[in-house]
Amino acid sequence: MQLGIHEDSTNRKKLADFLRFHSSQSGDEMTSLKDYVSRMKENQKSIYFITGESKDAVENSAFVERLRKRGYEVLYMVDPIDEYAVQQLKEYEGKTLVSVTKEGLELPEDEEEKKRHEENKSKFEGLCKVMKEILDKKVEKVTVTFLHFVRFSSIFCTNHIISF
C-alpha cells in the first residue's frame, strides 16, 4: 500500500484511505487517516506523525510526549517505506502531514509559555555558542527549545538532545 502511495500519483488519494498506523491514541489497534482526522482538535491544522524503527521506540519519544501532553494524537510510522510514502502524500483531506521531529514545530502557546520560552532562550544563548564552538562540525546548529511537558529546558544539537 505504501509503495503505491510512493509510486502511483494517479491513485495516491484513493490509496491513502487504506493506510493504517498505530497512534498515540489507538493502543494496540491501527487507525486510518480518516479516523485520525475525525478525532483532531477543532483548531488543529496538521496531521502529526513520527517515523522510527519500532512502535516502542517512537511512542516513548520526547517529541511524542510533548504533543500527547497537549492533547494531540501522533501517528506512528514504523515501516521503512512509510517515510517515502509520507514524502509523496504530504496532505490528507486538506490537512498537512507534519513530522513531530521537525525543527521549529510550533504548537499554539499561551502568553506565559511564550515568555518562559524567550527567557530560557536568552538565559542559555551563551551556552549554545560555547557548545557549538566545542562540537564544531559534529553538529549543524545548537538551539534551545522549551519542551512543554517538562519543567526544564533542552538544548537541541542536530541529531542529539542534551537535557539538564
Side-chain angles (χ1 to χ4, degrees):
M1 197 65 60
Q2 290 95 326
L3 189 57
I5 295 287
H6 181 67
E7 294 182 350
D8 187 356
S9 60
T10 307
N11 294 305
R12 190 169 289 143
K13 289 183 181 182
K14 292 177 188 174
L15 291 171
D17 288 330
F18 296 104
L19 293 174
R20 298 291 184 270
F21 304 98
H22 288 283
S23 82
S24 57
Q25 292 183 7
S26 69
D28 291 333
E29 300 296 316
M30 296 183 98
T31 189
S32 67
L33 291 172
K34 187 176 200 73
D35 288 341
Y36 176 100
V37 169
S38 74
R39 292 189 297 268
M40 286 174 58
K41 294 176 105 176
E42 193 173 311
N43 63 344
Q44 186 177 339
K45 294 178 175 62
S46 301
I47 295 171
Y48 298 115
F49 71 90
I50 187 169
T51 58
E53 293 179 13
S54 69
K55 181 183 173 202
D56 287 337
V58 296
E59 73 184 345
N60 293 313
S61 164
F63 297 106
V64 171
E65 185 66 19
R66 173 185 176 204
L67 275 83
R68 200 171 29 216
K69 291 283 185 181
R70 301 280 303 269
Y72 294 101
E73 182 175 8
V74 180
L75 295 173
Y76 301 153
M77 299 187 178
V78 295
D79 192 318
I81 192 76
D82 288 341
E83 285 191 64
Y84 298 107
V86 79
Q87 287 172 4
Q88 296 301 316
L89 191 57
K90 293 184 177 64
E91 65 94 27
Y92 180 81
E93 291 187 4
K95 307 288 186 183
T96 308
L97 277 81
V98 176
S99 172
V100 300
T101 62
K102 177 183 170 192
E103 184 178 338
L105 175 66
E106 291 186 26
L107 300 173
E109 294 180 312
D110 62 27
E111 289 305 313
E112 184 180 321
E113 289 172 326
K114 284 180 187 178
K115 182 181 175 190
R116 194 169 40 229
H117 179 67
E118 289 305 316
E119 288 172 357
N120 282 332
K121 217 170 167 180
S122 297
K123 183 177 177 182
F124 295 110
E125 186 177 350
L127 178 60
C128 288
K129 286 179 184 176
V130 170
M131 289 180 72
K132 175 60 179 154
E133 289 171 11
I134 292 170
L135 297 171
D136 194 30
K137 293 183 173 128
K138 293 178 184 174
V139 297
E140 180 180 313
K141 182 173 157 179
V142 179
T143 59
V144 173
T145 185
F146 181 72
L147 300 177
H148 298 279
F149 67 94
V150 292
R151 296 189 189 276
F152 56 86
S153 293
S154 296
I155 296 179
F156 279 81
C157 302
T158 305
N159 296 329
H160 303 291
I161 301 174
I162 302 167
S163 298
F164 48 95

